[in-house]
Amino acid sequence: MSDNEEVREKIIKAAMRIFSQHGFFKPPVRLIAEEAEVSKGLIFWYFRSKEELILEVAVRSLPTDIMEQCLKEGIGGGELLRCIGKRYLDKYKDPILKNLLLHTLSAEALYPSIRAEITKLCGEGLRKTAIMAFGSDDPTHIMVVRSFFGGLLCYVLRPPQDISPEDYLESLMEISLCCPSSSSSEKGRSSK
Amino acid sequence: MSDNEEVREKIIKAAMRIFSQHGFFKPPVRLIAEEAEVSKGLIFWYFRSKEELILEVAVRSLPTDIMEQCLKEGIGGGELLRCIGKRYLDKYKDPILKNLLLHTLSAEALYPSIRAEITKLCGEGLRKTAIMAFGSDDPTHIMVVRSFFGGLLCYVLRPPQDISPEDYLESLMEISLCCPSSSSSEKGRSSK
Amino acid sequence: MSDNEEVREKIIKAAMRIFSQHGFFKPPVRLIAEEAEVSKGLIFWYFRSKEELILEVAVRSLPTDIMEQCLKEGIGGGELLRCIGKRYLDKYKDPILKNLLLHTLSAEALYPSIRAEITKLCGEGLRKTAIMAFGSDDPTHIMVVRSFFGGLLCYVLRPPQDISPEDYLESLMEISLCCPSSSSSEKGRSSK
Amino acid sequence: MSDNEEVREKIIKAAMRIFSQHGFFKPPVRLIAEEAEVSKGLIFWYFRSKEELILEVAVRSLPTDIMEQCLKEGIGGGELLRCIGKRYLDKYKDPILKNLLLHTLSAEALYPSIRAEITKLCGEGLRKTAIMAFGSDDPTHIMVVRSFFGGLLCYVLRPPQDISPEDYLESLMEISLCCPSSSSSEKGRSSK
DNA sequence: CATGAATGAGCCTTCATTCAT
DNA sequence: AATGAATGAAGGCTCATTCAT
């Protein structure tokens, strides 16, 4: 039913706001119910348990959707990095999602399903990105992508006030792109 | 007195193991007491509340100590980055501390004192590093340091299996050092 | 709604029995829950805290209701004293309420709201009674009422076995009524 | 040892202050230790348990000492009442003792030894007083003494501000003394 | 679908009491 | 005598979850 989904969505949105501010474990379900303006009991009609709601929110908090969309668009090279970077910064400029990302990374140690999700993102996702961006998934290029993502995460963690997201992204891309082209072959050797 | 400190330390160490595995909020104090092999009551003799114990653990989980030590040693340039990188990877190769770092970053949204600590680390700490490493804290160099730290964090988040920490660090440093020398001036202008 | 009030009342009644026997502070909430045959958690659904339950019981334990009813009936003279005395002895012949009265008087030092209630009872209530009983609230008549109430309290504290409540009341009233008529004027002067 | 007794006394005095303010059951032993400026452990050297300390304080809070002293002095009639009344009002004009008296009366339901003490006071004590004051312990005279004590208790409960303890006592005595002489015989009859 | 009363497990914390020093 | 670290038993209260309505 469509009504069904709307309510479910309302609960998830409320949970995201509450979890963002208080983490996954401190806030009682009652708080989420109040924020969603539904009864406490209703939450357990849509979600088997609080944990199920946490997992639903956690999955949405990761950048999985961004990776998938950008990789699906078939673009390559710097454009792929720009695509990912742009949407990444856009998603996490929302402080709610920024906090949720951290809570989710932290909760990885607790929920195997979150761990699996992140592992896929950092394993397969990273490799695919390297291949589509640089045509190679050798350690050096993986490293560049890794550093690129690290820079993005760093921005999310502490957005610097003296630079816009756009400029930040350009600057980050320049760092990522300037070296590997020339050093990728040497790197392979020197890292030995 | 000396017994005093020993017991206190034993509790903190136990708390680090437990918190690392279960996060700060799910594990009851009882679990920490059992891990430390002391009575539950004794924990509240040494710490006013569970929160106080959490904060003690959280502070130890951040890389504040590393930043301070390396900056104090008076080294500069790539050597400073290597110093920080080496100790950073060394500290967080311990899975206990790796998890604690994530829990602490996540708990930032909940505890103002953690927030202050991280803010200092990412503000003042980053700037000082940029100055001592590159002789400048203009946005571009800040960005490079940021990307460098991002890469370190990324390693901690998902240590890649096909590369040793040492090689990872060298590779990351190369990326950080190769560009700014040439682009710093241009970047400084373009980012204006 | 009606079920609501019934449960609430059941809890209060159970609390009165338990508090009467063990005082306000020694018996754990669990005991009240068992006595009321409800779960411990439910008590905190109806009362924010144990203290709130204590205060509810405390207020019911004072003779406020008696004073109000008798004063409202518009009777005066000895009849008013008899009305109060009769209901007073009737209320506190129940050993549960007798004990609760003492616990409440004792708890006055701890709860401002109880203190306020008692102050009203002993200030305004006593004066109104003097006026309606003797047509005057000068010190002497206040004193007589005071002595009358003292006698009632004394009976509650230690009901003598050789005299019925009815006879006790008559005897007490005789003492209260025989003197002031003759001595009120002198007393008024001499107490100046 | 004299040092012994001094410390013991210091603890009791501190306990009286603390118990007076917070009742017997809410304040932890730690509070009494701090008030007495001794260690918590020492209290358990002088008193087997907290309960033992409570009982010690409770006994001192009752007017047993006053009754004994006045009865021992061999005076009779109104002078006896005056002796008791004077010392009674004097003892309980101290708000600490006033509160303790109430706490003790309330704790009667909890401790058999307190109950015994009060029973003796209200039984034997009252009768002896009646005999020595009026030469008779028939119900009427007992009643007068009872009313007298009730008036004293009432004063302690709520000392009226418009009358001094001395005047209060005189007034109370007048009420107690004026009637029984004439009514004692009739009373005996009318009380059935 | 929706509510909210009801449950019971469990949590943080306190506290009387003990005991090594 | 005196201290204060250490213990373990509760205690008040919260909260996820269920269920009758």
Side-chain angles (χ1 to χ4, degrees), chain D:
Chain D
M1 223 166 279
S2 87
D3 199 23
N4 234 310
E5 274 312 307
E6 271 178 39
V7 175
R8 195 185 145 88
E9 201 58 27
K10 193 165 65 169
I11 292 172
I12 293 176
K13 288 284 162 49
M16 291 179 83
R17 289 193 292 275
I18 296 294
F19 286 153
S20 166
Q21 202 175 354
H22 302 102
F24 289 137
F25 306 109
K26 281 183 80 128
V29 173
R30 175 182 43 78
L31 225 75
I32 296 166
E34 283 166 9
E35 176 79 17
E37 292 176 314
V38 300
S39 74
K40 213 178 6 151
L42 194 60
I43 290 184
F44 287 88
W45 200 91
Y46 286 97
F47 300 89
R48 224 184 309 272
S49 66
K50 189 191 179 186
E51 187 176 316
E52 198 173 296
L53 179 54
I54 289 176
L55 291 177
E56 175 79 45
V57 169
V59 168
R60 296 199 184 194
S61 306
L62 290 173
T64 317
D65 50 344
I66 290 169
M67 293 289 281
E68 280 174 2
Q69 281 170 28
C70 290
L71 287 173
K72 205 171 290 172
E73 288 189 6
I75 49 180
E79 276 319 295
L80 178 59
L81 294 191
R82 178 170 286 112
C83 171
I84 292 174
K86 215 165 118 72
R87 299 197 189 187
Y88 192 102
L89 294 181
D90 193 55
K91 176 168 189 173
Y92 297 111
K93 83 180 172 208
D94 178 359
I96 288 180
L97 276 163
K98 172 215 147 166
N99 281 342
L100 284 175
L101 176 61
L102 288 174
H103 298 324
T104 302
L105 293 179
S106 156
E108 184 204 334
L110 283 74
Y111 297 118
S113 64
I114 295 185
R115 168 181 299 269
E117 192 73 22
I118 297 181
T119 296
K120 212 179 71 186
L121 209 56
C122 291
E124 196 186 336
L126 221 127
R127 223 180 49 249
K128 274 191 191 166
T129 306
I131 289 178
M132 296 199 65
F134 302 114
S136 147
D137 63 346
D138 65 46
T140 306
H141 289 106
I142 288 277
M143 177 65 49
V144 172
V145 177
R146 197 175 272 276
S147 166
F148 176 71
F149 283 162
L152 290 177
L153 182 59
C154 239
Y155 185 88
V156 169
L157 226 67
R158 277 284 174 285
Q161 280 116 0
D162 54 3
I163 183 167
S164 71
E166 291 74 23
D167 284 349
Y168 186 99
L169 179 55
E170 289 309 316
S171 174
L172 187 61
M173 284 182 61
E174 194 172 350
I175 294 172
S176 298
L177 294 173
C178 71
C179 307
S181 54
S182 60
S183 67
S184 68
S185 48
E186 303 162 20
K187 197 81 272 293
R189 277 180 262 132
S190 74
S191 78
K192 274 259 151 159

Side-chain angles (χ1 to χ4, degrees), chain B residues 52-110:
Chain B
E52 197 173 297
L53 179 53
I54 290 177
L55 290 177
E56 175 80 44
V57 169
V59 167
R60 296 198 185 196
S61 306
L62 290 173
T64 316
D65 49 345
I66 290 170
M67 293 290 282
E68 280 174 2
Q69 281 168 26
C70 289
L71 287 174
K72 204 172 290 175
E73 289 189 6
I75 50 180
E79 278 317 297
L80 178 60
L81 294 191
R82 178 170 286 113
C83 171
I84 291 174
K86 218 164 114 72
R87 299 195 190 190
Y88 192 103
L89 294 180
D90 194 55
K91 176 170 189 174
Y92 296 109
K93 83 181 172 208
D94 177 358
I96 289 181
L97 276 163
K98 173 216 146 164
N99 280 344
L100 283 177
L101 177 60
L102 287 175
H103 297 323
T104 302
L105 292 179
S106 155
E108 185 204 334
L110 283 73

Side-chain angles (χ1 to χ4, degrees), chain A residues 167-188:
Chain A
D167 284 349
Y168 186 97
L169 179 55
E170 290 310 316
S171 174
L172 187 60
M173 284 183 61
E174 195 173 348
I175 294 172
S176 296
L177 293 172
C178 72
C179 306
S181 53
S182 59
S183 66
S184 68
S185 48
E186 302 160 20
K187 196 79 273 292

